[in-house]
Amino acid sequence: TERKPASQLECPVCLEAFETTDVNKRLPRNVPCAAAHTVCTECLTKLAQQASPRCPTCREPPVFDIKVCTAL
């Protein structure tokens, strides 16, 4: 598979392009799964609100409390 240029990288959940500031909550964030997959801040926040969150990419449970990742 070809890698996209950084300016075209997108969140695999909402498919919105990542941004370099968090004004629109589209800054890339790592999901606390073993593989540390990346989603945008908005999607990570929504994931943290779930009763039993799992990584949207690998479906693994977080290796530590996901709420720690969203306390910014």
Side-chain angles (χ1 to χ4, degrees):
T1 59
E2 285 188 41
R3 288 174 109 33
K4 291 184 178 183
S7 61
Q8 294 179 354
L9 294 178
E10 59 190 29
C11 174
V13 177
C14 66
L15 303 178
E16 293 287 333
F18 289 129
E19 297 179 5
T20 56
T21 66
D22 217 18
V23 174
N24 297 318
K25 300 206 177 285
R26 298 294 175 216
L27 195 64
R29 303 278 183 197
N30 289 94
V31 176
C33 65
H37 290 110
T38 306
V39 297
C40 69
T41 304
E42 180 71 19
C43 290
L44 187 63
T45 301
K46 289 178 182 177
L47 190 64
Q49 295 169 352
Q50 295 178 0
S52 299
R54 293 190 171 269
C55 174
T57 304
C58 65
R59 308 304 303 156
E60 292 295 318
V63 293
F64 61 86
D65 188 359
I66 199 167
K67 289 179 177 58
V68 172
C69 296
T70 59
L72 303 172

